[in-house]
Amino acid sequence: MSIEISKSVVLASVEKAKRDQEKGIKGASLDELRRRLAQEGDLVHPLVLTRIEQLEMEQSNDDNSHRHQSEELVLYEPNPWPDAVDGATVLSEVKKALLQHMSMRQADATVATLWAAHAHCFDQFDHSPRLAISAPAPGCGKTVLLSYLLGNLVPRPSSADTITPAVFFRMAAAYKPTFLIDEVDAWFRDDSLLPAAINGGFSATGNIPRCVGDSYQVKRFSTFTPTALAGINLTKRLTPALLSRSIVIELERALPKEVLVPFDKRRHRTALIELGQKLARWSNDKRALLHDCDPMLPEGMMNREADKWQPLFAIADVAGDVWPKLTAQAFLTSSSTMAETKEVQLLVDVAKVLRMNNYQMDEGIFTSDLIENLCGLEDSYWKDYNFRHRFAEERQIQPRQLSNLIKAFHLRPTSIRQGDLSKKGYKVAGLKKIIDRYV
């Protein structure tokens, strides 16, 4: 379909929406218009998109005529802490505060801490990872984490339960806010243009072209800005393109007394504001180091996965102390980490086990022994591979999961005999062959 045909088709709906608006019929026509746009995709003429946004603005102004429309949008900008700040210390303080007010995994608290820090210095990186806060049901603390905790830690927070593409890209270009968008599972897929705008904001070069002014001059609006989303089952609700640009935090409903100190705005907001000021001071002092940092990334991390994690690893690298290790653990335990990356990391750790125990080429290793040794490695993430379970034996990686990861390298478990005992396991020669090839 040509651009001109697409333009004429959609402009007809534009004029119908305008007439309906004049008659007092609001909402339905715009929804129809958006559905038509979703069908046309990138073939829609820029003038059509501009007209739709004008119509949305007219409707918004009409609905809110009793408000002071001339008031300028003001977003909170934290004043940097007056004294120099140690990066590892302030990151640890932020993580402690999150764990105090939330029931969440240590690894997810690490991710949330680093993401909040990145919001203060995102312009020093080529990419800004989208943060997706997901839960299986209401009452798991999504809004507390998104709006009350992160909302007091980040610069220029802009909270919303819904947002149009026009508002998103115009605010992104003018204010560089930290978008905190809640309840996206209820409406996100209905708007085919918003995911594209949020996707574009992942990259420093992301932008949306629009026609502006009476002469309809084409102008590019930068969409590069930090964005966090919260909702139910986001791994199933978000588009694949957006998920690939997101780091996912998965929450669960807290059991009684699992939340140490329920968040109270009157008593706890000031402490979070101060932590946000410390993050601002540290990121300002370290801007040059953060910009030039080239952190060592885990084996197998590449392409978009490396793009979205690189800012967090850079922040951890510059902060130092325990944070590079914590970040690596968080990456490997993240549900959004690609299976291919976990497979290569498994081979790296299997190589350590074989080397530490001096296994020879003609020997074999039982699956149970391999798992025990993997879980015994320092900072092992295999012991918490099934983090949702409560008991240690259930939390560690299971034989079938180990087999599925190694199977990607065309190696399967076989019967291994040691003395009179025979169990499933792997021949050392086979393991070393794939280690030499992929590690």
Side-chain angles (χ1 to χ4, degrees):
M1 179 182 292
S2 71
I3 285 179
E4 288 305 315
I5 292 176
S6 177
K7 174 183 174 183
S8 63
V9 168
V10 184
L11 276 177
S13 292
V14 172
E15 296 311 314
K16 181 180 184 300
K18 181 180 178 182
R19 290 194 301 272
D20 286 350
Q21 182 181 357
E22 291 170 350
K23 296 176 183 177
I25 304 173
K26 299 173 184 177
S29 293
L30 287 179
D31 290 341
E32 177 188 345
L33 197 56
R34 288 206 176 281
R35 286 194 295 273
R36 185 71 61 86
L37 275 176
Q39 296 173 359
E40 298 301 325
D42 294 336
L43 295 178
V44 177
H45 196 280
L47 291 179
V48 175
L49 298 177
T50 300
R51 184 68 188 99
I52 294 162
E53 287 150 16
Q54 288 174 347
L55 190 59
E56 285 182 332
M57 294 298 290
E58 289 172 10
Q59 187 181 61
S60 177
N61 290 340
D62 196 36
D63 290 342
N64 298 284
S65 59
H66 63 285
R67 299 180 183 175
H68 298 290
Q69 295 298 313
S70 60
E71 289 184 4
E72 183 180 357
L73 179 65
V74 177
L75 299 176
Y76 166 72
E77 185 74 59
N79 292 319
W81 196 249
D83 303 319
V85 175
D86 176 72
T89 300
V90 68
L91 290 179
S92 296
E93 290 174 350
V94 170
K95 181 177 178 180
K96 181 180 178 180
L98 295 178
L99 289 170
Q100 185 180 36
H101 299 302
M102 291 290 303
S103 172
M104 61 191 306
R105 294 191 308 138
Q106 291 277 342
D108 287 336
T110 296
V111 168
T113 297
L114 292 168
W115 190 88
H118 123 279
H120 290 268
C121 52
F122 75 96
D123 56 345
Q124 300 305 304
F125 306 111
D126 292 331
H127 299 90
S128 174
R130 321 286 77 180
L131 184 68
I133 302 172
S134 181
C140 296
K142 303 183 306 301
T143 300
V144 173
L145 178 58
L146 180 74
S147 300
Y148 300 152
L149 301 183
L150 292 177
N152 286 309
L153 292 168
V154 300
R156 302 172 301 282
S158 179
S159 297
D161 289 339
T162 183
I163 189 170
T164 67
V167 171
F168 179 89
F169 72 74
R170 290 180 186 274
M171 281 186 64
Y175 299 97
K176 294 300 176 189
T178 302
F179 282 115
L180 307 172
I181 309 175
D182 205 355
E183 310 295 347
V184 297
D185 56 288
W187 55 271
F188 194 71
R189 283 190 178 275
D190 292 337
D191 194 329
S192 63
L193 300 180
L194 186 58
I198 295 177
N199 288 346
F202 170 73
S203 171
T205 59
N207 66 84
I208 287 184
R210 288 294 184 267
C211 299
V212 298
D214 295 337
S215 62
Y216 290 102
Q217 180 181 0
V218 176
K219 178 181 177 180
R220 292 189 179 275
F221 292 83
S222 172
T223 53
F224 184 51
T225 200
T227 302
L229 311 165
I232 304 295
N233 293 325
L234 290 191
T235 54
K236 297 179 180 178
R237 302 294 180 90
L238 297 183
T239 63
L242 183 49
L243 267 179
S244 71
R245 292 165 170 83
S246 301
I247 298 175
V248 179
I249 287 178
E250 296 197 52
L251 302 177
E252 291 185 306
R253 187 174 295 171
L255 294 173
K257 298 184 178 181
E258 273 192 336
V259 176
L260 299 178
V261 183
F263 181 79
D264 185 326
K265 180 179 179 180
R266 297 166 299 176
R267 294 188 294 127
H268 303 130
R269 184 172 181 268
T270 299
L272 290 171
I273 290 291
E274 290 180 355
L275 289 175
Q277 292 175 320
K278 291 180 179 180
L279 289 175
R281 173 60 189 262
W282 179 79
S283 63
N284 284 346
D285 290 347
K286 303 297 183 181
R287 292 179 77 80
L289 287 175
L290 290 167
H291 181 271
D292 296 335
C293 184
D294 186 16
M296 181 175 294
L297 302 178
E299 294 282 349
M301 184 192 288
M302 60 183 67
N303 302 327
R304 187 165 290 160
E305 192 166 51
D307 291 340
K308 68 183 180 183
W309 279 92
Q310 191 273 344
L312 305 194
F313 274 93
I315 291 169
D317 229 36
V318 173
D321 198 35
V322 299
W323 280 89
K325 282 188 176 181
L326 289 177
T327 308
Q329 284 182 302
F331 164 72
L332 288 170
T333 59
S334 172
S335 62
S336 56
T337 298
M338 294 174 60
E340 292 86 345
T341 306
K342 295 179 180 180
E343 291 158 1
V344 173
Q345 183 61 46
L346 177 61
L347 293 188
V348 172
D349 288 343
V350 169
K352 292 179 183 178
V353 168
L354 297 181
R355 185 169 59 251
M356 291 169 56
N357 293 278
N358 197 28
Y359 276 95
Q360 302 302 310
M361 291 289 286
D362 59 348
E363 294 181 311
I365 181 172
F366 293 148
T367 298
S368 57
D369 291 343
L370 181 55
I371 289 176
E372 181 180 351
N373 280 277
L374 286 170
C375 295
L377 293 174
E378 183 180 3
D379 298 322
S380 171
Y381 105 95
W382 307 107
K383 65 182 179 182
D384 292 315
Y385 192 79
N386 301 293
F387 59 86
R388 295 191 185 281
H389 292 281
R390 297 194 172 275
F391 300 106
E393 290 186 358
E394 295 175 346
R395 290 174 67 89
Q396 69 184 20
I397 187 169
Q398 299 299 304
R400 183 177 295 277
Q401 293 169 326
L402 181 73
S403 171
N404 287 338
L405 290 175
I406 296 180
K407 184 172 63 176
F409 304 104
H410 307 291
L411 183 65
R412 297 179 182 274
T414 186
S415 294
I416 300 295
R417 178 172 291 279
Q418 294 181 5
D420 295 332
L421 188 61
S422 178
K423 295 196 298 184
K424 287 291 184 180
Y426 295 89
K427 294 181 178 179
V428 172
L431 290 172
K432 286 192 173 182
K433 182 177 180 180
I434 59 175
I435 288 170
D436 291 342
R437 187 181 299 274
Y438 292 100
V439 176

